[in-house]
Structures are given as structure tokens and as C-alpha cells.
Amino acid sequence: MAENYDVIVLGSGPGGYVAAIRAAQLGLKTAIVERENLGGICLNWGCIPTKALLRSAEIFHYMQHAGDYGLAAEKISADIAAVVKRSRGVAKQLNQGVTHLMKKNKITVHMGEGKLTGKGKLSVTRDGKTEELTAKNIILATGARARDLPGTPADGKRVWTYRHAMTPPEMPSKLLVIGSGAIGIEFASFYNDMGADVTVVEMMDRIVPVEDADVSAFLEKALKKQGMTILTGAGVSDIKVSANGVKAKLKDKAGKETAAEFSHMIVAIGIVPNTENIGLKELGVAMDERGFLKTDEMCRTNVEGLWAIGDITAPPWLAHKASHEGVITAEAIAGKHPHAMDPRNIPGCTYCHPQIASVGLTEAKAKEAGYEVKVGMFPFIGNGKAIALGEAEGFTKTVFDAKTGELLGAHMVGAEVTEMIQGYTIGKTLETTEAELMHTVFPHPTISESMHESVLAAYGRALHI
């Protein structure tokens, strides 16, 4: 006899486990199916353990610059094995936390490979044994994996994906990073701070190309100042991998080719959705040409009772977007009529050094959309707290509709901006105009004052520059 539930969630990442919790809170009998680790890639091999690595690199950086703060530190060194061990410990702690949440919310966990076998039917296979589950509603949250470089698959030895880069067999001496999105830049920043000679190759004309052009330019200058080599509008060819390293030809934006050798290479050129072999084609589930599932504003697929969230659907491919979709889906199933999510109000954060964070339209995208804009920028060098922290590198930029005062976008680079962007995200969600932001009292001394000053600057009213 098949076990019957109100909701089955396939995948336990930040989308899946949150969907299961919310469904259980709403009184639905809920099960979750996971083939590897509760918490998915984010908690075990993505968002969280990478931040633990970056924290170690940040502290190591400050130790090396102790003299800047009137301090002295001698015989400074880094133990990459110990750094990785700490990161894995953080991941384990959070995995155990998700396990606790499943028990607390009385969610049944089925470990194994899940596959749709019919409408409202799902099989789970583990160690050669299969059990059948049924539910009126099934939520797909199977996530995605790193895209391999054509012709040069990751081997975990010399060619790495993000997963290999989190548990390196040794510290790279000379590292090539292909791709400058969030994942590529974060690992480039980590290994650069840890002492590796890092080269980043980006085929687009600027790094972190989804960000505002001013942020990209500022970050590139900052990373070069830290000793990183950045090649934009560039390509990599003739890659040869051996037991001793990686040889490749690097082509710059002028078309000039240079032969180079590296100890290791990280490939960060995007993701592939985990949609194979889970019964989607047999059910006729609609997908786009890249294999991502098509859904409506409530995360419904074209198959009745089948929902999809997170990295198997449309971008942005972010953990917090997946979690919010999980809540929307569970509430829609329970008949709560939730609000649809506006992609323009989803913040993005990259935890390099300096950090970058943004929400909404860039200045260029706003103009492309036909807006007449007012733009404000405020540099951290005009902020007392940033100077006191020794973190005066950065700025805040805001973009407004000149006609209505609507906040269209906000873009930040500098210390702790990933913690501050939520202020603008709330403002956008509440459809705030420049008037409310100008009348908001920001605490002093904080770096967040740069947010207020940026708004004032858009209207010619900045006080400290």
C-alpha cells in the first residue's frame, strides 16, 4: 500500500524544506524526499559553508593588516585543512538543524531517489528498495548543479566546480577562475585572500555582469588592487589538464592570445537544473529550451497538482527566492491566496571582498525600460563609521523614477552591504518613494547612513559630500 499525504516535497534545499514546514504549519500532512543531505546544496555545499570559508579568509586578511589598526600580529599563517574543517562543521550543524525542524513540524522524511510515476504518485528508491507515495499535491524542489566546461569536465583534482573548491585537496598556488558571477567571484576572493595567485576570466565586457555597471567597475578596480588578475571580454582555449596542473591559452578583449599555466582551475559558468530522470517527460511537464520548468505566478506547472520552485524554474537562482516560493506554494495549496512574488523585489548578494548587494533595476535597465531617472551616489569615504572601521572602500547608489519618485533600484559595494540591502528591499516591497526614505531617521554612526545620503544625493540634497 502506498503512503498517502496531502503534500510531498521532492528536494530538501532552502526551497523544499521551507515549503514542507509551511505546509505542515497549515495543517497539511507532509512528506519530504531527499537523496543526499537535508538542507540541500545551500546548507551543505553552497551558501552557508562558503560564507564560513569567506569569514576565515576575512579574518586572515585583517590579521595580515593588523598594523593598519595599531596592532601587531606575528608569524601569521593559514591552515587550509583547518579552515575547511570549520566550514564543514558549520554545514553539519545546520543539517542537524533542518533534521530537528522536520521532527518538530511532524514532517515525514523519506531518504532516497524520488521519481514521479504518475499524476500524484512518486516512488522513492534507496539501497535497491522502492516505496510508493501518493499526494494530491507534489512540489518539485530538486535544485541545480554546476555546469561543466565543454570538453573539460571537472575532475576534483585540477579542475573544480564550487563543490570541489569547498574541500580542496590542497591549497592552489596559481588559480584560474572561469566565470565572474557570484560563485566565481566569491571563490576568487577567498583564494586570493588566502594567498593564491588568482586570474579571473569573464567572456562578458565586465565582471559580475548582472550588477550595475558602476558596481562592476568599482569591484574590478578593488580586486586588481588586491593583486588579482581580471580579464574581461576574454576567452579560454586549448585547455590541457595533467597531473601537475592546467595549461591554457587566454585571449584578451583585443584578441591577443597568451599561454598560461595554473595549478588549479575553477569553472563557474552557470548551472544545470536537476530535472533528468524524475519522470517529467512522461507526465508532459512543460520546460524551456534549457530544461528549466515553466510555472505561473503561484509556482504551478502545467500538470494539475504539480508545483515547482527554486533553481529548476526561472531566474534569479537564489536560495531566498526559492524559500519564498516554497511559502507561496504551500499557502496556495492550502487555499490561502498568497501574493505573487515580484522578481524586481528580490535582492542579490555576493560575498566577495568588498561585498556587493543590489535590488531592482540597474541604471541602464531602468533607462532601457523607458524611465526618466534620478540617480544618487554616496561614497563610503564620506561615512564616519566606514572610516573608523578602516572600510572606507565602497559606495551606495540609488535609482528613482524622476516622475513619480518610485525607488527603482539600489546598488551597493563595500563592507557589510549584504546586511543593509534589506532596507531598500523593504522599501521597494512597500512601494516607497524618495519622500519616505528622506524622512526616515538612520542611526549614527552606521554605514547605513550612506543609504540615506544616496537618496538625498539623487535629489541634490546630500549632506556629507
Side-chain angles (χ1 to χ4, degrees), residues 172-378:
S173 57
K174 193 172 183 182
L175 176 66
L176 173 62
V177 179
I178 301 179
S180 73
I183 293 173
I185 284 296
E186 285 185 0
F187 278 113
S189 189
F190 168 73
Y191 281 108
N192 186 69
D193 276 348
M194 294 298 288
D197 180 350
V198 178
T199 296
V200 177
V201 175
E202 170 57 56
M203 66 179 294
M204 303 295 284
D205 62 356
R206 56 191 176 90
I207 60 171
V208 288
V210 301
E211 301 294 340
D212 188 88
D214 286 328
V215 170
S216 294
F218 189 96
L219 182 64
E220 180 175 341
K221 185 178 179 180
L223 295 180
K224 285 181 175 179
K225 185 178 178 182
Q226 293 171 27
M228 210 178 289
T229 299
I230 306 286
L231 300 176
T232 56
V236 182
S237 61
D238 294 338
I239 298 172
K240 292 181 174 59
V241 182
S242 69
N244 299 317
V246 178
K247 294 181 179 180
K249 288 183 179 178
L250 307 183
K251 182 186 289 186
D252 64 19
K253 61 179 64 178
K256 180 183 177 182
E257 282 192 338
T258 304
E261 296 185 22
F262 303 90
S263 65
H264 301 80
M265 180 172 78
I266 295 176
V267 178
I269 58 172
I271 62 171
V272 179
N274 294 323
T275 52
E276 309 96 333
N277 305 316
I278 57 173
L280 298 179
K281 289 183 179 179
E282 293 82 352
L283 278 179
V285 181
M287 293 181 249
D288 67 17
E289 64 279 0
R290 297 173 297 172
F292 293 95
L293 273 61
K294 296 181 179 180
T295 59
D296 67 9
E297 69 280 359
M298 290 294 122
C299 305
R300 300 181 185 89
T301 70
N302 62 312
V303 176
E304 185 182 0
L306 188 64
W307 313 67
I309 61 176
D311 288 359
I312 57 170
T313 63
W317 298 303
L318 301 167
H320 43 279
K321 178 244 191 187
S323 294
H324 197 72
E325 286 179 328
V327 172
I328 289 172
T329 302
E331 293 184 350
I333 289 171
K336 296 297 182 181
H337 307 292
H339 290 290
M341 181 166 54
D342 185 344
R344 295 173 300 176
N345 294 343
I346 301 172
C349 298
T350 304
Y351 300 81
C352 46
H353 181 222
Q355 296 179 3
I356 55 179
S358 61
V359 65
L361 298 176
T362 64
E363 180 181 354
K365 289 293 184 183
K367 289 177 178 177
E368 285 177 20
Y371 289 100
E372 179 186 344
V373 300
K374 282 186 177 292
V375 177
M377 290 185 69
F378 188 82

Side-chain angles (χ1 to χ4, degrees), residues 53 80 84 160-169 187 190-191 266:
L53 293 176
I80 190 67
V84 170
W160 299 346
T161 65
Y162 65 85
R163 189 154 177 167
H164 304 120
M166 274 188 285
T167 55
F187 278 113
F190 168 73
Y191 281 108
I266 295 176

Side-chain angles (χ1 to χ4, degrees), residues 433-454:
T433 69
E434 92 289 352
E436 288 81 18
L437 290 169
M438 285 182 179
H439 293 145
T440 298
V441 178
F442 284 73
H444 175 79
T446 64
I447 302 177
S448 71
E449 289 174 279
S450 71
M451 299 168 66
H452 192 217
E453 290 278 9
S454 177

Side-chain angles (χ1 to χ4, degrees), residues 121-182:
K121 297 179 180 179
L122 189 136
S123 66
V124 184
T125 302
R126 186 179 188 184
D127 298 330
K129 297 180 181 179
T130 301
E131 56 182 333
E132 301 295 333
L133 311 179
T134 62
K136 186 176 180 180
N137 293 282
I138 296 176
I139 303 172
L140 301 176
T142 51
R145 61 189 183 277
R147 185 182 298 277
D148 270 327
L149 190 68
T152 312
D155 60 11
K157 297 176 181 177
R158 295 294 170 181
V159 181
W160 299 346
T161 65
Y162 65 85
R163 189 154 177 167
H164 304 120
M166 274 188 285
T167 55
E170 66 273 324
M171 177 69 188
S173 57
K174 193 172 183 182
L175 176 66
L176 173 62
V177 179
I178 301 179
S180 73

